[in-house]
């Protein structure tokens, strides 16, 4: 297996992520149980899916980061492995300290499910190579706690290093407060770590891979990850 | 018997909501005075909520069979074959009383309960709808109730990972003292792997799984759901349960995993009346008995009595009968998902429910008289005295609409017709990745996948409908209209309406006028289901929806499931492209009775509701399926509340991009009836080839007329003589429509 989709109790988009990778994009993807101490040895990328791990009755992702599999994910990431967390997966990555910042309650206090416009601010990452810089992607969001927050210093660092990959924007690409669905600082929708191998985003690329069900812009992000895995394998070979 | 238990007599039986003759019957069945626990069991099992005693007799008339029906009423949910070896399992259920007492948890547990009905059958729940009704939003309490119910539905459905893909929201004075929350779910299962709630195989273990049992929800079914509200109702808040969607999610996965094995014989969720109802129903269906030891029931609180353990309505619990010897394997799966699982009893051959606690036998009751042979009443019914008067409407006494454009604007700005985006934005509409059409259109469309994730070409079309104003004026016609509209909505996507489930929300059946409404509605439900070929495969009856003697309008909510053979070939409800022909299908009559226009612009809730012509309805629905399949129809939108003018405006403003239309409506009818009357059986269709569509309509026996073309950024409705009744910019209409709910809830809406 090359693409490992971690299944926490309460994960909801786990099967959808596996479906997008396997049935739509045609790569080898499987679910990995959260209590497994190790990732399968053939793992080339890890995906932390959306949902409500452990019910998220505490802070979102705060319990999941203690799952045995997360130690293995951390080792995988530290060794340069590619990790992508969507929605609850992004929250878990932040709670685990693999990405800076936290996701707070949406400023409108309601859960929000809608198609969001996202501007690609960095198309040079392993997760965005199939997109153009400045391109506007239409990918759904669905979360109650997606307001990205980090200290002024952390934000400054993210901006200086081009780690802000996606921002909520208007259909024309302009970044406005009206286009910000949850109150994220700087309209931040997705970030990578400094090494560029860990990516977290609130939107759901796995729900935008089929033309008649949510469109195909999500396939640009997942496809970029597939490209990165395949080029990594070529380099290894 | 425990010393702390009260002594059982007629007075205590009455306090449990039992009638005097029911008390006599209990003494007869047992041949002795019941124990306190036994009294509790009889009171819940014979409550209106569990026994359907007032409606059973009448529900028997409903058409429930067809070649494709795999499971009709009587099981946890209905099931129909949808091809590819798969079945759709669905049901709608009410959670009205709990939601009025505690809106968030009441609505949340309503969703949880209906989901359990679906996965109990072995099906993975894939999509939910909700039909919710409130009092006027100028009442702060109803703003609170709306917000709470929506939060409850969202918090449960989102967390449990089942998409909420549609529904309906209504507002009316009659719900001020009693809101309605009806939750629908549909699941998918291999047609040959449907599970039944039966306890068979003498000696097989009875296993309790899921949440621990607490003191929550005791007597929810008997005292809360089976009685009217009064000034004391707030004191009933402890009878409302608290939902835990995370546990439910784990329960779904564990149960579905087990159902792929051969370990399970039967399974039933512990819903209303908890452990009592589930064990009695399973034994009754299996023709067996059950012996159970309450000491083994996982519990949340210390010192719980047998009475409490038997009647608790703690959520997220299941009762399973496994094959003998499979106990460990079954419990291991639940434990892996972090859930309690415990063998609490065995299936017996003696047809009795024998329950032990702390070394004593606390219950010994024959199963059948309690479950299968519960009371069946033929309550007196009488047409309400004022009904005929209410149905009278002299059209000449109704002042003609002086400003049709202002009327259209006013109607789009009502909470009834305004955008519900504020509500459904709070629901995960996408999870499981099958939502072809989400909320906001005539019907939702959900692609069908197999349990292993393999997609099929098929999709289910889902709609839930009722017009309570029609039902109030004439329960029979109103119910016919509800079935017809639900089927028409499904047909607007191009799908064939297949089967329906219903939730009959009525007042106190002990009043002959209410009983008459219920009987009329059930008769009409059967008539319409028969005529449209859509059998009734499941349902729920919610009575006693009154406060201080004031009943709700009769509200027979109908949820229709349709089947589309190719999910990529469907119509949408909004206009999709400029320069398409707009065709009105169906016949417009001079029918203003019961219309929203009459209620809102003239303050009258009066007249006969529009007639329902079922054969014409069937012809229209067949034409829609054919028109969509052949590509003649790219958009189709049902004409319902607000009439033709509102339907046309919705076609223009509800899509991802606004698109106008130029319409001419020359007609002999009075203009307000033409624009705002609610004649049934009509659809606004759009397609590239008007001639081909009109020819198809003629061949299909459907009246049709080309009324205009799409294009521009205005909706112009001309009177056919050179003048326009309505000529409105879409931006303004869209803003009014979008802000109808947010502005009343003081929430952010669409800016200027």
């Amino acid at each position: 297996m090359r693409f490992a989709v971690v299944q926490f109790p309460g994960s909801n988009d786990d099967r959808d992520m596996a479906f997008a990778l396997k049935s739509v994009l045609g790569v080898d993807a499987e679910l990995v149980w959260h209590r497994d101490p190790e990732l399968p040895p053939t793992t080339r990328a890890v995906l932390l899916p959306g949902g409500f791990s452990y019910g998220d009755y505490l802070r979102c992702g705060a319990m999941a980061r203690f799952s045995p599999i997360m130690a293995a994910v951390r080792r995988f990431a530290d060794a340069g492995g590619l990790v992508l967390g969507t929605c609850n997966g992004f929250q878990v990555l932040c709670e685990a300290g693999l990405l800076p910042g936290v996701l707070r309650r949406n400023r409108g206090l309601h859960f929000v499910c809608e198609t969001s416009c996202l501007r690609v601010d960095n198309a040079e990452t392993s997760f965005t190579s199939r997109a153009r810089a400045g391109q506007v992607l239409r990918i759904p969001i669905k979360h109650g706690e997606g307001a990205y927050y980090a200290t002024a210093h952390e934000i400054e660092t993210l901006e200086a290093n081009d780690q802000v990959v996606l921002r909520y924007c208007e259909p024309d690409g302009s970044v406005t407060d009206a286009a910000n669905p949850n109150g994220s600082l700087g309209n931040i929708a997705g970030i990578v770590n400094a090494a560029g191998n860990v990516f977290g985003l609130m939107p759901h690329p796995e729900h935008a891979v089929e033309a008649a069900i949510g469109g195909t812009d999500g396939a640009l992000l997942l496809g970029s990850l597939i490209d990165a895995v395949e080029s990594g394998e070529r380099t290894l070979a | 018997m425990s010393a702390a238990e009260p002594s059982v007599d007629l007075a205590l039986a009455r306090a449990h909501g039992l009638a005097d003759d029911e008390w006599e019957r209990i003494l007869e069945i047992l041949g002795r005075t019941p124990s306190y626990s036994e009294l509790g069991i009889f009171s819940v099992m014979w409550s209106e909520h569990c026994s359907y005693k007032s409606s059973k007799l009448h529900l028997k008339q409903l058409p429930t069979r067809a070649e494709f029906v795999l499971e009709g009423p009587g099981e946890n949910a209905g099931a129909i074959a949808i091809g590819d070896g798969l079945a759709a399992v669905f049901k709608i259920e009410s959670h009205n009383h709990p939601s009025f007492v505690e809106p968030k948890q009441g609505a949340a547990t309503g969703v949880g309960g209906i989901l359990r009905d679906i996965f109990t059958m072995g099906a993975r729940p894939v999509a939910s709808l909700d039909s919710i009704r409130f009092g006027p939003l100028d009442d702060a309490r109803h703003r609170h109730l709306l917000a709470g119910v929506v939060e409850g539905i969202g918090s449960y459905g989102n967390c449990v990972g089942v998409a909420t893909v549609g529904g309906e929201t209504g507002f009316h004075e009659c719900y001020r003292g009693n809101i309605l929350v009806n939750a629908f779910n549909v699941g998918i299962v291999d047609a040959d792997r449907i599970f039944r709630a039966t306890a068979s195989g003498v000696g097989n273990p009875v296993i309790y799984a899921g949440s621990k049992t607490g003191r929550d929800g005791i007597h929810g079914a008997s005292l809360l759901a089976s009685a009217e509200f009064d000034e004391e109702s707030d004191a009933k808040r402890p009878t409302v349960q608290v939902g835990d969607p995370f546990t439910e999610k784990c329960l779904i996965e564990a149960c579905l995993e087990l159902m792929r094995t051969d370990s399970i014989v039967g399974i039933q969720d512990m819903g209303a009346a908890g452990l009592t109802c589930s064990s009695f129903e399973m034994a009754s269906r299996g023709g067996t008995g059950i012996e159970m030891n309450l000491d083994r029931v996982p519990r949340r609180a210390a010192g719980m009595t047998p009475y409490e353990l038997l009647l608790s309505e703690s959520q997220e619990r299941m009762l399973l009968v496994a094959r003998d010897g499979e106990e460990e394997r079954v419990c291991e799966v639940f434990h892996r998902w972090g859930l309690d699982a415990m063998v609490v009893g065995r299936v017996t051959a003696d047809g009795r429910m024998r329950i032990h606690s702390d070394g004593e036998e606390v219950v010994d009751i024959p199963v059948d008289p309690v479950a299968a042979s519960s009371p069946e009443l033929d309550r007196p019914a009488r047409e309400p005295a004022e009904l005929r008067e209410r149905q009278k409407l002299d059209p000449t006494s109704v002042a003609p609409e002086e400003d049709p454009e202002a009327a259209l604007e006013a109607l789009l700005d009502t909470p009834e017709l305004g955008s519900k985006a504020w509500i459904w934005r709070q629901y995960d509409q996408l999870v499981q990745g099958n939502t072809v059409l989400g909320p906001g259109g005539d019907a939702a469309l959900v692609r069908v996948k197999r349990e292993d994730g393999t997609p099929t070409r098929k999709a289910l079309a889902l709609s839930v409908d009722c017009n309570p104003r029609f039902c109030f004026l004439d329960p029979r016609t109103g119910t016919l209209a509800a079935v017809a509209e639900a089927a028409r909505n499904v047909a607007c996507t191009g799908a064939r309406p297949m089967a329906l489930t219903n939730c009959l929300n009525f007042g106190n059946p002990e009043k002959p006028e209410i009983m008459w409404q219920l009987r009329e509605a059930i008769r009409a439900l059967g008539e319409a289901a028969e005529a449209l070929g859509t059998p009734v495969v499941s349902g729920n009856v919610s009575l006693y929806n009154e406060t201080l003697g004031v009943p709700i309008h009769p509200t027979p909510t109908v949820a229709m499931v349709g089947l589309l053979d190719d999910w990529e070939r469907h119509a949408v409800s909004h206009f999709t492209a400029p320069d398409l022909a707009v065709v009105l299908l169906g016949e417009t009559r001079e029918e203003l009775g019961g219309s929203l226009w009459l209620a809102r612009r003239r303050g009258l809730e009066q007249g006969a509701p529009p007639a329902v012509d079922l054969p014409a309805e069937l012809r229209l629905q067949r034409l829609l399926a054919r028109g969509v399949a052949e590509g003649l129809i790219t958009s189709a939108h049902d004409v319902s509340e607000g009439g033709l003018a509102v339907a046309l405006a919705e076609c223009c403003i509800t899509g991802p991009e606004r698109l106008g239309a130029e319409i001419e409506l020359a007609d002999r009818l009075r203009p307000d009836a033409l624009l705002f009357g609610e004649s049934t059986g009509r659809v606004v269709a759009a397609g590239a080839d008007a001639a081909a569509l009109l020819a198809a309509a003629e061949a299909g026996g459907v009246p049709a007329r080309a009324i205009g073309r799409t294009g521009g950024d205005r909706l112009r409705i001309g009177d056919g003589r050179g003048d326009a009744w309505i000529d409105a910019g879409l931006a303004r209409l869209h803003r009014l429509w979008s802000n109808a709910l947010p502005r009343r809830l003081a929430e952010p809406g669409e800016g200027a």
Side-chain angles (χ1 to χ4, degrees), chain A residues 12 16 57 113-114 142 210, chain B residues 158 244 425 428 432 447:
Chain A
N12 287 337
D16 303 345
Y57 293 135
C113 176
E114 65 186 16
K142 48 187 189 82
E210 295 177 275
Chain B
N158 299 347
D244 175 2
R425 248 165 63 102
D428 183 341
Q432 301 191 30
R447 183 249 316 263

Side-chain angles (χ1 to χ4, degrees), chain A residues 7-16 19 22-24 33-35 51-57 105 108-115 138-144 181 204 206-207 210-214, chain B residues 124 147 151 155 157-162 243-247 249-250 253 260 335-338 422 424-436 447 449-455 567-568 570 747:
Chain A
Q7 185 178 36
F8 298 102
S11 289
N12 287 337
D13 304 287
D14 46 343
R15 291 156 48 92
D16 303 345
F19 173 78
K22 215 166 146 176
S23 302
V24 182
W33 186 235
H34 73 115
R35 270 197 222 150
F52 290 72
S53 51
Y54 295 92
D56 279 342
Y57 293 135
R105 185 99 181 125
L109 302 180
H110 297 301
F111 186 95
V112 176
C113 176
E114 65 186 16
T115 302
R138 296 178 72 90
I139 298 180
I141 55 169
K142 48 187 189 82
H143 58 248
H204 288 263
E206 78 281 13
H207 286 296
E210 295 177 275
I213 300 183
Chain B
R124 176 174 289 277
E151 195 187 344
S155 65
N158 299 347
C159 183
V160 83
V162 178
D244 175 2
F246 170 62
T247 296
K249 167 70 177 169
C250 294
E253 298 301 338
R260 287 195 289 270
H335 293 156
R336 186 150 41 78
W337 284 96
W422 182 85
W424 41 261
R425 248 165 63 102
Q426 299 185 51
Y427 303 150
D428 183 341
Q429 308 146 32
L430 307 172
V431 66
Q432 301 191 30
N434 298 315
T435 309
V436 183
R447 183 249 316 263
K449 268 192 209 132
R450 296 179 179 283
E451 175 63 12
D452 69 3
T454 320
W567 62 268
E568 287 185 290
H570 63 83
E747 289 271 346

Side-chain angles (χ1 to χ4, degrees), chain B residues 95-111 130-134 141-157 168-169 179-183 422-423 426-427:
Chain B
H95 230 217
N96 304 334
H97 288 79
S99 303
F100 189 59
V101 175
E102 209 302 292
K104 183 180 170 187
Q105 291 303 335
T109 51
V111 174
D130 303 283
S131 170
I132 55 179
R133 297 183 189 280
F134 304 89
R141 179 168 195 198
H142 283 269
R143 294 196 293 275
H144 161 76
L145 287 167
L146 171 64
V149 164
V150 170
E151 195 187 344
I153 291 170
S155 65
Y156 206 100
E168 57 165 356
T169 311
I179 64 171
L180 298 186
V181 174
N182 295 177
W422 182 85
I423 293 171
Q426 299 185 51
Y427 303 150

Side-chain angles (χ1 to χ4, degrees), chain A residues 128-151:
Chain A
T128 49
S129 59
R130 284 197 190 182
R132 298 182 316 274
Q135 186 174 352
V136 175
L137 308 180
R138 296 178 72 90
I139 298 180
I141 55 169
K142 48 187 189 82
H143 58 248
E145 286 163 44
Y148 185 74
Y149 178 84
T151 63

